Amino acid sequence: MHALVIAGGDAPAPIDATLAAAPLVIAADSGVGHALALGLAVDLVIGDLDSAVPDDVARAASSRARVDHFPADKDATDLELALDAARARVATSVTVLGIGGGRLDHLLANLLLLTHDAYAGLTVDALDGATWVRVVRTSRTLPGPIGSTVTLLPIGGPARGVRTTGLRWTLTDAALVPASTLGVSNEIVESPATVSVREGVLLAIQPTAGAA
């Protein structure tokens, strides 16, 4: 089951019918406003609701949404609570919208959160504007127009046995280590491209990558 998680960052752009048809829609705090603006039927609103507009929460609740209100003094961000809720509801894949929002610390924390071992059983993506971010644990397909950019960043330690197809600079059993720029600004020459990793976790970042 696919879950669509809407965070409280920048308002997402309109989404395609495939994403909009997700059977589980979870709004993290003020993400409920973004979800309603996209015309989504929200299943769960979760968080401390410190930034959510009360009328938005009420609108969602008056439809079908459950509201899980947490105290402000908590040990997890609203997005982490939302991802945990998706996993608890037996989602197999998650797409996160609204992951940005102007604060670098939030953006970095959110991107790292996507790679948490707790979500190793999920296929995890995020869409920020026109940029796709995909978590690679074994192998992933990288759709996108010819000439578009792909950056591969290792998270939490070295990524070993990295192999790619369809990229201008092919990696074959390569090692990508944190703080190296070896994986930055590759280019799709055959779509869809692929990336696989034998050991470790990668973020595949695709600005203006086109369709999912």
Side-chain angles (χ1 to χ4, degrees):
M1 178 179 65
H2 186 68
L4 186 61
V5 172
I6 300 90
D10 293 331
I15 57 177
D16 63 26
T18 301
L19 280 180
L24 177 61
V25 176
I26 300 175
D29 203 294
S30 60
V32 64
H34 298 330
L36 294 173
L38 291 171
L40 299 171
V42 179
D43 297 290
L44 173 66
V45 181
I46 193 167
D48 57 23
L49 306 186
D50 64 336
S51 56
V53 176
D55 285 350
D56 289 339
V57 177
R59 281 178 57 199
S62 68
S63 179
R64 67 184 190 188
R66 169 176 167 173
V67 178
D68 285 355
H69 192 173
F70 283 73
D73 292 336
K74 61 189 190 306
D75 295 329
T77 64
D78 297 323
L79 178 56
E80 185 170 355
L81 294 174
L83 291 173
D84 288 345
R87 184 183 54 165
R89 284 158 176 76
V90 202
T92 55
S93 59
V94 176
T95 299
V96 180
L97 307 179
I99 199 168
R103 278 186 56 173
L104 180 59
D105 55 341
H106 282 183
L107 177 60
L108 290 174
N110 288 342
L111 291 174
L112 292 173
L113 175 64
L114 300 182
T115 69
H116 196 294
D117 286 345
Y119 314 122
L122 300 174
T123 300
V124 180
D125 296 325
L127 178 59
D128 182 28
T131 297
W132 279 96
V133 179
R134 308 179 197 275
V135 179
V136 184
R137 293 185 180 275
T138 51
S139 63
R140 296 294 305 271
T141 298
L142 306 176
I146 302 299
S148 60
T149 300
V150 175
T151 286
L152 302 175
L153 298 179
I155 302 296
R160 306 186 191 279
V162 179
R163 296 178 179 273
T164 64
T165 67
L167 297 182
R168 181 177 178 186
W169 293 283
T170 301
L171 298 175
T172 303
D173 201 26
L176 299 180
V177 298
S180 167
T181 58
L182 177 61
V184 174
S185 293
N186 213 322
E187 180 183 323
I188 291 181
V189 293
E190 182 180 341
S191 185
T194 67
V195 59
S196 63
V197 59
R198 185 180 68 246
E199 176 187 336
V201 182
L202 293 170
L203 282 181
I205 303 173
Q206 296 180 260
T208 61

